[in-house]
Amino acid sequence: ALAWARASAKCLNFNSMLILLPVCRNLLSFLRGTCSCCRRTMRKQLDHNLTFHKLVAYALALLTAVHTIAHLFNLERYNQSQQATDGSLPAVLSKMHLQGSKWLNPIHSNQTTVEYVAFTTIPGLTGVIITLALILMVTSSTEFIRRNYFELFWYTHHLFLVYFAGLVIHGIAGLVRGQTEQSMAEVHPYHCAEYLTQRDQNCTHSCCKDPEFGSIPAESWKWVLAPIILYVFERILRVWRAQQKVVVKKVVMHPARVLELQMQKKGFCMEVGQYIFVNCPAISPLEWHPFTLTSAPEEDFFSVHIRAAGDWTERLIDTFQSETPRIEVDGPFGTASEDVFQYEVAMLVGAGIGVTPFASILKSIWYKFQQADQTLKTKKIYFYWLCRDTGAFAWFNDLLASLEHKMAESGKADFLTYRLFLTGWDTSIANNVALHFDTATDTVTGLRHKTIFGRPMWNMEFAAVAAAHPRSVVGVFLCGPEALAKSLKKSCHQHSSLDPRKVKFYFNKENF
């Protein structure tokens, strides 16, 4: 079982080297910026950072199980070899150098148990601690706990500090040992093993010399040193940016308990669709939560819309209703939505509060029309917003109304096509809509485009876009649930032409 233990240890070291890199947000933003001239498919790989992080974590969990089970077998065999009196090779090797430092078997007494070794030696104790930390991190990262008990997930995940400390210390004691290079040259096991069990007192053969054993040097620190240094710099940068003063310029309470914060910060520079991490020391000095920016780069402030969706957000909204607490901001950080203006045609799909990155994009488009920007590569935008209740539409009604008016003035009324879908309604809303069906504006939103009741039929939507733009590259951007992501991804594959000269759909999803 030693081969299994050593092989899984090598793989654990390699995966431990990778696990921190996908969560270095500043590093990813830097790479995204330097890859701006790279191919679209290469930049898209950065959007899968959290998926990659999870896959590496699952690999660590599997390899830890293999490594632990293999070493339990090894310890049992160490114990059996120490207690054996049959003159076999394992028994002979176990009795060598027990009083010195050149021993091979770490169990030197017949009274020592496997459990004793596991909990009293440095490798055994650190192994137990590492495994417990990993179990807690993996189990608390499940979708249910992360969505409903984010604080539990957040605090438990910081056991990674214990994990890496234990990993570096784990191999220092050298419990797994091997024959030294000098001894290998003098007493090679292939030629001399039989002499150890059959030699007599007067043996003069070169193989009669006792082999000597030494610790195998610890290697884990070599694998994880560079990622740890990178991550330390990442955290230092985050702390430094968090200390910069944030001024809350305006607080707006929207329907459905959505809080809008308009803020200013010296040196803050953003792109469309980016996100920031927000901390409120009055609620918790350690917790940082991600929110997509809803402002445009052309504005002299940056804003976020925060929906009540847990303990922290509930407390934040309640706090802002009575006072204006101090806010700390880290970011901005890049996302897939940054690439929206790289496509000739864009389909933007937001579900509920998932509309926030597209609010930033639509605002930026409004400013580009205002300034008659001739560099805009995008020729057409399709915007889909799915909401459960009518109150949510009030968040950005003014923005959509302004866009309608501005584009009509600019002679580009067909630049933006938007569809608002109400997925939850009652009979009173339906009756009201039926009574005012012939009015010029929608009774729910007050906009020219009528609200659609129900969910989009994506096959029809994609087929219509493909027919309208037969030779275009279409970027599909989603900020919403995983079930919707699967549906859109499937539609992208189905409606993309095999002919490279015809329509292609590229799927992009927001990941936090």
Side-chain angles (χ1 to χ4, degrees):
L2 186 62
W4 283 89
R6 295 288 292 162
S8 58
K10 295 286 187 185
C11 295
L12 275 167
N13 287 335
F14 178 72
N15 282 278
S16 296
M17 176 186 72
L18 297 177
I19 193 75
L20 286 176
L21 298 179
V23 291
C24 289
R25 297 191 291 264
N26 290 291
L27 174 64
L28 293 178
S29 292
F30 171 76
L31 291 174
R32 186 182 293 276
T34 55
C35 289
S36 59
C37 57
C38 302
R39 291 185 62 187
R40 185 182 292 115
T41 49
M42 191 179 293
R43 289 200 309 277
K44 274 169 63 67
Q45 303 313 311
L46 296 173
D47 301 327
H48 302 297
N49 62 313
L50 291 184
T51 302
F52 181 69
H53 178 73
K54 291 174 187 175
L55 287 173
V56 175
Y58 294 143
L60 284 176
L62 176 63
L63 292 165
T64 298
V66 172
H67 185 73
T68 303
I69 293 167
H71 267 319
L72 288 174
F73 277 105
N74 288 330
L75 286 172
E76 190 59 46
R77 286 170 182 168
Y78 276 141
N79 203 27
Q80 291 171 0
S81 299
Q82 175 61 33
Q83 294 178 5
T85 56
D86 55 2
S88 61
L89 183 62
V92 172
L93 290 172
S94 295
K95 306 296 189 294
M96 283 186 176
H97 312 297
L98 292 182
Q99 305 305 317
S101 61
K102 299 175 181 179
W103 46 269
L104 176 62
N105 191 337
I107 297 179
H108 298 170
S109 166
N110 289 350
Q111 284 72 47
T112 305
T113 63
V114 172
E115 292 79 9
Y116 179 83
V117 175
F119 287 97
T120 58
T121 61
I122 291 176
L125 188 58
T126 55
V128 170
I129 293 170
I130 287 171
T131 304
L132 287 175
L134 198 60
I135 289 170
L136 287 170
M137 283 191 287
V138 171
T139 52
S140 66
S141 301
T142 57
E143 186 78 11
F144 176 79
I145 293 177
R146 201 170 70 249
R147 294 292 180 193
N148 297 285
Y149 306 97
F150 183 84
E151 290 80 3
L152 177 64
F153 155 74
W154 194 90
Y155 285 113
T156 309
H157 228 61
H158 279 72
L159 287 172
F160 81 91
L161 297 170
V162 175
Y163 173 83
F164 278 101
L167 186 69
V168 170
I169 298 169
H170 185 61
I172 287 177
L175 201 68
V176 175
R177 299 165 70 86
Q179 194 172 355
T180 61
E181 288 187 18
Q182 183 180 351
S183 179
M184 283 280 283
E186 297 173 352
V187 189
H188 200 283
Y190 287 162
H191 311 301
C192 302
E194 60 184 85
Y195 285 89
L196 287 176
T197 55
Q198 299 173 5
R199 66 182 175 179
D200 54 33
Q201 295 288 340
N202 301 318
C203 179
T204 57
H205 194 278
S206 60
C207 287
C208 294
K209 185 178 180 180
D210 284 351
E212 296 178 355
F213 306 97
S215 298
I216 296 174
E219 294 182 341
S220 296
W221 68 271
K222 298 177 184 177
W223 289 89
V224 301
L225 180 62
I228 287 174
I229 290 172
L230 270 174
Y231 191 77
V232 167
F233 277 115
E234 168 89 10
R235 294 307 288 251
I236 290 171
L237 181 57
R238 290 187 199 176
V239 170
W240 175 73
R241 290 202 300 201
Q243 298 306 312
Q244 295 174 320
K245 186 179 179 182
V246 176
V247 179
V248 179
K249 301 293 289 184
K250 189 176 180 181
V251 179
V252 183
M253 269 305 302
H254 292 286
R257 278 182 71 76
V258 171
L259 175 72
E260 179 184 354
L261 298 179
Q262 296 182 7
M263 298 166 282
Q264 286 182 329
K265 180 180 175 181
K266 187 178 179 181
F268 189 90
C269 184
M270 63 166 286
E271 297 292 335
V272 293
Q274 291 188 325
Y275 69 98
I276 58 173
F277 275 78
V278 176
N279 170 258
C280 181
I283 298 175
S284 171
L286 297 176
E287 287 185 50
W288 292 80
H289 293 260
F291 297 98
T292 307
L293 290 163
T294 54
S295 52
E298 293 83 357
E299 293 175 313
D300 62 351
F301 63 88
F302 61 96
S303 65
V304 291
H305 283 61
I306 300 172
R307 179 173 62 91
D311 295 343
W312 189 89
T313 49
E314 289 277 5
R315 290 168 63 190
L316 182 74
I317 291 170
D318 291 339
T319 303
F320 267 99
Q321 286 179 328
S322 57
E323 60 174 315
T324 303
R326 184 167 67 91
I327 291 291
E328 295 178 355
V329 168
D330 182 25
F333 301 107
T335 66
S337 296
E338 278 186 59
D339 295 337
V340 68
F341 295 135
Q342 301 297 319
Y343 293 90
E344 301 166 20
V345 181
M347 294 175 68
L348 314 179
V349 184
I353 199 67
V355 72
T356 48
F358 309 129
S360 174
I361 292 166
L362 295 175
K363 281 184 182 179
S364 186
I365 290 169
W366 190 89
Y367 281 104
K368 288 179 187 299
F369 276 110
Q370 190 92 343
Q371 298 160 6
D373 189 346
Q374 299 299 318
T375 62
L376 186 61
K377 182 181 177 181
T378 307
K379 306 302 180 188
K380 178 72 177 179
I381 286 183
Y382 295 89
F383 174 51
Y384 305 85
W385 188 5
L386 289 67
C387 281
R388 289 181 182 175
D389 56 86
T390 56
F393 289 129
W395 302 338
F396 301 109
N397 261 15
D398 293 342
L399 171 61
L400 290 171
S402 297
L403 273 169
E404 277 185 336
H405 179 68
K406 193 66 194 173
M407 283 184 284
E409 277 186 350
S410 307
K412 294 186 178 180
D414 60 341
F415 177 84
L416 173 67
T417 297
Y418 65 87
R419 296 177 183 274
L420 308 181
F421 293 85
L422 188 62
T423 57
W425 71 90
D426 55 30
T427 53
S428 62
I429 296 174
N431 291 335
N432 187 41
V433 170
L435 285 170
H436 299 87
F437 182 76
D438 293 329
T439 55
T441 57
D442 184 54
T443 56
V444 176
T445 63
L447 299 169
R448 293 177 189 173
H449 284 63
K450 298 297 180 74
T451 300
I452 302 168
F453 289 77
R455 299 181 182 279
M457 298 182 70
W458 291 116
N459 276 332
M460 292 178 62
E461 299 292 341
F462 274 80
V465 173
H469 309 278
R471 298 183 183 277
S472 296
V473 176
V474 182
V476 180
F477 295 85
L478 167 69
C479 187
E482 196 59 40
L484 183 54
K486 289 179 181 177
S487 179
L488 290 176
K489 199 170 185 179
K490 183 180 178 181
S491 294
C492 284
H493 287 303
Q494 284 180 343
H495 293 275
S496 289
S497 174
L498 294 174
D499 189 338
R501 296 167 297 178
K502 294 184 178 180
V503 67
K504 287 284 182 295
F505 289 91
Y506 288 91
F507 180 72
N508 303 269
K509 185 181 183 298
E510 295 290 306
N511 292 293
F512 293 132

